[in-house]
């Protein structure tokens, strides 16, 4: 029984990114599930044996081989017998930079991952890459994460990815996995590379089917406007990405990807009122009342703050909206006519808005 540190932890150490919080994955060669259980490890996962260390709770996976038997990333059969070697296990991984292992400080690198790290190349290990559509998303995500190091997709890997799109393999991606990779990419400082890699191989319009690639290529710096945003919040970047899309397209995309409600609601509101807030000072009293009502600004205060933050990220001055929100929030409802309280509140809001617009001129 031999234990090796593998994958991302090895890669990140070589890149100088590893720290005490770096997630560690281990591969165990020459053992069986029964022996792991006898040693106190706890088995998790149904598709293949992965075990949690009784102390650290880190993941230890049995070395495995896999064989494609169906569509998508779940269409595999696994061999985790004790005869499977470390090199065989590494050979099934997606990229050479993720196919390295370490034991007692010694690097095991059968596919020249360190050389590709030094060259800034995202290169597939073998043609088995094309059997798993998730790998398209992972390559795009790594391009975003490592953009600051100048990483590029190898031409041969790009060609494989285009073939996976053309063959329809990309259509087997599950909504949950697409959103997971999207959200991770949006958490990076340079998410533009994620979208650009997907667009280059033809996957963008398939994965994000309701959207238009051209809608973003009209920008002078395709997708790169996302890299300049002064936020680390994926939901806000999500809104900026979609702000020029029709509401119906955003709705369809969110349903397709099974996005969380907070993503969906904020993105649709951001797009719906994007033009409105750009000319807020010239809007009518009624349209401003409608804006505050439809955004539920006075009740959903946290979401409204996020909405205004999205507009600030888009270089829109929202000072007037923030000030008017304060004034509307200070209405003394107890002092209003109770005969028709709803109408009385609306009337009071209109008075405040009109006075505000007059003072702004």
């Amino acid at each position: 029984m031999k234990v090796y540190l593998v994958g991302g932890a090895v890669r990140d150490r070589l890149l100088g990114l590893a720290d005490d919080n770096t997630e560690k994955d281990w591969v165990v060669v020459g053992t069986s599930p029964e022996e792991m259980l006898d040693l106190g490890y706890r088995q998790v996962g149904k598709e293949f044996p992965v075990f949690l260390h009784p102390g650290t709770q880190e993941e230890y996976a049995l070395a495995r081989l896999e064989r494609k038997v169906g569509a998508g990333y779940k269409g595999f059969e696994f061999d985790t017998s004790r005869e499977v070697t470390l090199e065989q296990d590494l050979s099934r991984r997606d990229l050479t930079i993720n196919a390295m292992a370490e034991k007692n400080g010694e690097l095991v690198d059968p596919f020249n991952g360190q050389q590709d790290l030094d060259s800034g190349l995202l290169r597939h290990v073998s043609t088995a890459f094309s059997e798993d559509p998730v790998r398209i998303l992972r390559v795009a995500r790594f391009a975003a994460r490592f953009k600051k190091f100048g990483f590029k997709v190898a031409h041969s890997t790009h060609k494989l990815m285009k073939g996976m799109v053309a063959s329809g393999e990309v259509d087997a991606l599950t909504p949950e996995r697409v959103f997971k990779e999207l959200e991770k990419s949006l958490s990076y400082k340079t998410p533009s590379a994620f979208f650009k890699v997907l667009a280059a191989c033809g996957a963008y319009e398939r994965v994000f089917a309701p959207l238009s690639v051209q809608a973003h290529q009209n920008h002078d710096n395709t997708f790169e406007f996302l890299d300049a945003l002064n936020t680390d919040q994926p939901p806000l970047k999500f809104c900026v990405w979609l702000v020029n899309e029709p509401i119906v397209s955003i709705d369809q995309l969110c349903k397709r990807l099974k996005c969380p409600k907070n993503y969906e609601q904020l993105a649709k509101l951001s797009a719906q009122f994007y033009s409105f807030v750009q000319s807020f000072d010239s809007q009518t009293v009624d349209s401003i009342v409608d804006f505050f009502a439809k955004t539920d600004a006075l009740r959903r205060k946290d979401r409204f703050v996020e909405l205004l933050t999205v507009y600030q990220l888009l270089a829109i001055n929202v000072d007037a909206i923030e000030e008017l929100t304060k004034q509307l929030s200070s209405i003394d409802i107890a002092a209003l006519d109770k005969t028709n309280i709803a109408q009385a509140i609306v009337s009071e809001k209109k008075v405040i808005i009109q006075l505000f617009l007059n003072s702004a001129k």
Side-chain angles (χ1 to χ4, degrees):
M1 176 176 168
K2 294 181 180 179
V3 179
Y4 297 86
L5 181 66
V6 294
V10 179
R11 176 200 67 222
D12 288 355
R13 184 188 67 76
L14 293 173
L15 282 173
L17 298 176
D19 57 28
D20 292 341
N21 297 318
T22 298
E23 187 175 309
K24 294 180 179 179
D25 292 314
W26 305 85
V27 160
V28 187
V29 179
T31 189
S32 67
E34 293 74 23
E35 289 177 0
M36 295 294 285
L37 293 172
D38 286 344
L39 290 170
Y41 289 79
R42 181 165 60 88
Q43 184 171 344
V44 295
K46 298 177 182 177
E47 295 177 7
F48 48 81
V50 176
F51 300 84
L52 297 182
H53 189 282
T56 65
Q57 297 300 302
E58 291 171 342
E59 290 191 356
Y60 287 67
L62 299 188
R64 68 183 187 268
L65 286 172
E66 57 190 30
R67 183 170 66 90
K68 182 79 166 175
V69 293
Y73 76 100
K74 291 186 176 181
F76 291 92
E77 285 183 349
F78 299 98
D79 175 6
T80 57
S81 63
R82 64 174 69 241
E83 287 74 30
V84 177
T85 67
L86 175 65
E87 184 167 334
Q88 286 176 318
D89 179 273
L90 295 176
S91 72
R92 64 168 182 79
R93 294 174 183 264
D94 51 6
L95 300 173
T96 59
I97 64 170
N98 297 328
M100 295 179 284
E102 238 178 35
K103 184 174 176 62
N104 299 326
E106 182 178 343
L107 185 68
V108 182
D109 183 16
F111 303 104
N112 299 315
Q114 187 170 23
Q115 180 179 321
D116 284 344
L117 269 186
D118 295 339
S119 303
L121 267 187
L122 299 171
R123 183 169 61 87
H124 64 283
V125 174
S126 73
T127 53
F129 176 98
S130 60
E131 296 176 347
D132 185 353
V134 169
R135 292 176 169 179
I136 294 177
L137 297 175
R138 282 173 56 82
V139 169
R141 176 166 64 81
F142 284 127
R145 185 182 176 196
F146 298 137
K147 184 181 178 183
K148 64 181 177 181
F149 294 111
F151 271 75
K152 303 292 183 185
V153 180
H155 176 71
S156 56
T157 304
H158 172 72
K159 188 175 179 181
L160 268 185
M161 291 164 66
K162 288 186 73 172
M164 293 165 73
V165 174
S167 71
E169 182 68 32
V170 72
D171 299 325
L173 284 167
T174 63
E176 294 83 0
R177 193 56 191 262
V178 173
F179 181 79
K180 180 181 178 181
E181 297 295 328
L182 168 63
E183 186 173 43
K184 282 184 179 178
S185 299
L186 290 173
S187 73
Y188 303 144
K189 291 184 180 298
T190 53
S192 65
F194 175 76
F195 298 109
K196 292 175 82 169
V197 167
L198 293 181
C201 70
Y204 184 96
E205 55 260 52
R206 299 281 276 274
V207 175
F208 307 123
L211 308 184
S212 165
V213 180
Q214 285 68 36
H216 294 281
Q217 290 181 339
N218 289 335
H219 289 266
D220 293 336
N221 50 354
T222 312
F223 295 111
E224 289 184 2
F225 59 95
L226 293 168
D227 298 347
L229 300 179
N230 185 27
T231 181
D232 59 358
Q233 298 298 311
L236 303 185
K237 294 181 185 180
F238 183 80
C239 294
V240 173
W241 168 46
L242 298 174
V243 75
N244 287 306
E245 294 285 349
I247 305 298
V248 64
S249 297
I250 298 173
D251 185 65
Q252 290 171 357
L253 178 74
C254 289
K255 285 182 170 55
R256 177 186 176 91
L257 300 187
K258 299 182 179 178
C259 295
K261 278 295 181 185
N262 65 311
Y263 276 78
E264 178 183 353
Q265 292 172 356
L266 193 59
K268 289 197 285 192
L269 287 174
S270 299
Q272 182 178 353
F273 292 104
Y274 183 37
S275 297
F276 177 89
V277 297
Q278 291 180 78
S279 55
F280 185 78
D281 292 341
S282 62
Q283 299 296 335
T284 65
V285 171
D286 286 341
S287 64
I288 293 176
V289 169
D290 186 59
F291 166 69
F292 279 102
K294 287 182 176 175
T295 57
D296 208 2
L298 304 184
R299 292 194 305 171
R300 301 286 300 276
K301 294 180 181 179
D302 290 344
R303 188 182 69 183
F304 191 67
V305 168
E306 289 183 319
L307 179 64
L308 296 188
T309 302
V310 170
Y311 294 138
Q312 287 175 310
L313 292 172
L314 290 160
I316 299 172
N317 188 326
V318 298
D319 290 349
I321 301 175
E322 289 178 332
E323 176 57 34
L324 188 50
T325 305
K326 290 179 184 177
Q327 294 185 21
L328 293 174
S329 298
S330 64
I331 292 175
D332 184 3
I333 296 177
L336 300 179
D337 182 3
K338 304 297 190 298
T339 307
N340 187 340
I341 190 64
Q343 184 56 51
I345 292 173
V346 171
S347 298
E348 184 66 13
K349 286 180 179 178
K350 287 184 177 181
V351 170
I352 292 173
I353 293 169
Q354 187 62 70
L355 289 172
F356 181 84
L357 293 177
N358 291 343
S359 65
K361 290 180 181 178

